[in-house]
């Protein structure tokens, strides 16, 4: 993937990994449109020089409006990144968790599908382009404290595989970015010393994107233990280790 001359839309890029990738694409020479829900952050990024568009991936009308605005101003759009996502801990012994579960499925899985559906006709019409979905190491090696988050990301993985097969022959490539834990703020780095540094993670991602051919899965070194746990025979032990976090739940106190 040539990252120097792309026209990229990243849904969910007002902070964290999405914003860092937006800055990396822009620094490499690509045009970048940043999408997000928070008007204040979009205003800050517009002042930084980014084109911006409001989008709520849980709202079909919002997705359609964002698509129409982007294609009017950037008819050469060729790359979509579905970065929008949320992760919420859940106590499955408490039926009240369902609201959080519903929110995560609507954002992480259905939101991804809404954005892809909105832009697929445009990319098919161009006969070329790239869709980058975003899953998680947790989609391959569950973190029991966040069960629906894991399920939503596993769902995006399966959807990405099917999307790639269905778009075969159209000129559109589908890549799946699989982040491990990444420290996007100093507070996160303090809470999880094992989390990858954001800048180091982004550098590795951009290097992998430029591999020829573009990998079907963008796997930084730090996520390989998650991705291949079943193959390597470490799955059960790692899930048991990660289950220790369940002690944090109120019902376990």
């Amino acid at each position: 993937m040539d990252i120097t001359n792309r026209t990229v839309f990243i849904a969910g890029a007002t902070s964290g990994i999405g914003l860092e990738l937006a800055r990396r694409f822009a620094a490499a020479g690509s045009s970048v449109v940043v999408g997000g829900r928070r008007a204040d952050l979009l205003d800050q990024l517009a002042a930084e020089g980014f084109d911006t568009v409001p989008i709520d991936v849980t709202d079909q009308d919002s997705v359609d409006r964002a698509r129409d605005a982007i294609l009017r101003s950037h008819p050469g759009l060729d790359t979509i990144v579905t970065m929008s996502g949320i992760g919420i801990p859940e106590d499955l012994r408490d039926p009240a968790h369902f609201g959080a579960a519903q929110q995560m499925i609507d954002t992480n899985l259905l939101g991804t599908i809404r954005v892809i559906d909105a832009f697929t006709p445009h990319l098919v019409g161009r006969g070329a382009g790239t869709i980058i979905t975003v899953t998680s190491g947790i989609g391959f090696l569950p973190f029991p404290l966040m069960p629906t988050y894991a399920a939503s990301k596993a769902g995006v993985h399966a959807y990405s595989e099917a999307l790639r097969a269905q778009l075969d022959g159209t000129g559109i490539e589908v890549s799946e970015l699989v982040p491990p834990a990444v420290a996007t703020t100093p507070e996160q780095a303090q809470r999880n010393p094992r989390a990858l540094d954001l800048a180091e993670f982004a550098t590795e991602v951009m290097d992998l994107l430029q591999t020829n051919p573009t990998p079907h899965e963008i796997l930084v070194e730090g996520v390989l233990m998650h991705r291949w746990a079943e193959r390597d025979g470490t799955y059960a032990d790692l899930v048991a280790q990660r289950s220790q976090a369940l002690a944090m739940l109120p019902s376990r106190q």
Side-chain angles (χ1 to χ4, degrees), residues 15-99:
S15 63
I17 293 173
L19 177 55
E20 183 66 19
L21 294 183
R23 288 175 171 152
R24 296 301 182 102
F25 272 111
S30 290
S31 299
V32 182
V33 182
V34 169
R37 292 185 300 174
R38 289 184 51 181
D40 57 333
L41 295 180
L42 292 174
D43 288 344
Q44 292 175 24
L45 292 170
E48 190 175 319
F50 284 106
D51 292 323
T52 64
V53 63
I55 185 171
D56 179 351
V57 301
T58 68
D59 181 337
Q60 187 64 56
D61 289 340
S62 175
V63 172
D64 291 344
R65 286 193 299 271
R67 174 203 58 206
D68 293 346
I70 292 166
L71 294 182
R72 279 195 302 270
S73 60
H74 296 81
L77 182 77
D78 56 21
T79 304
I80 308 296
V81 184
T82 62
M83 183 61 65
S84 300
I86 55 172
I88 305 171
E90 297 170 87
D91 186 344
L92 300 186
R93 299 182 184 185
D94 180 358
H97 85 92
F98 186 79

Side-chain angles (χ1 to χ4, degrees), residues 120 123-129 163-174:
T120 294
L123 295 178
V124 170
R126 292 185 76 254
L163 180 68
R164 185 180 303 113
Q166 291 209 18
L167 294 181
D168 185 41
T170 66
I172 302 169
E173 57 187 5
V174 177

Side-chain angles (χ1 to χ4, degrees), residues 46-214:
E48 190 175 319
F50 284 106
D51 292 323
T52 64
V53 63
I55 185 171
D56 179 351
V57 301
T58 68
D59 181 337
Q60 187 64 56
D61 289 340
S62 175
V63 172
D64 291 344
R65 286 193 299 271
R67 174 203 58 206
D68 293 346
I70 292 166
L71 294 182
R72 279 195 302 270
S73 60
H74 296 81
L77 182 77
D78 56 21
T79 304
I80 308 296
V81 184
T82 62
M83 183 61 65
S84 300
I86 55 172
I88 305 171
E90 297 170 87
D91 186 344
L92 300 186
R93 299 182 184 185
D94 180 358
H97 85 92
F98 186 79
Q102 194 169 33
Q103 187 180 1
M104 283 182 278
I105 293 295
D106 199 18
T107 302
N108 301 353
L109 179 56
L110 295 180
T112 293
I113 295 171
R114 288 186 189 99
V115 173
I116 290 170
D117 282 356
F119 289 97
T120 294
H122 165 76
L123 295 178
V124 170
R126 292 185 76 254
T130 301
I131 296 171
I132 301 175
T133 61
V134 181
T135 59
S136 170
I138 292 176
F140 297 94
L141 180 70
F143 183 37
L145 187 63
M146 300 176 68
T148 303
Y149 178 80
S152 70
K153 291 301 187 177
V156 174
H157 166 70
Y159 197 85
S160 302
E161 293 282 299
L163 180 68
R164 185 180 303 113
Q166 291 209 18
L167 294 181
D168 185 41
T170 66
I172 302 169
E173 57 187 5
V174 177
S175 288
E176 175 187 347
L177 173 59
V178 189
V182 177
T184 59
T185 66
E187 294 75 20
Q188 289 178 341
Q190 191 171 33
R191 287 198 303 268
N192 184 1
R194 295 182 180 180
L196 296 188
D197 175 78
L198 177 59
E200 293 177 4
F201 168 76
T203 295
E204 196 171 351
V205 168
M206 300 309 285
D207 287 345
L208 289 168
L209 281 174
Q210 295 176 83
T211 305
N212 188 17
T214 308

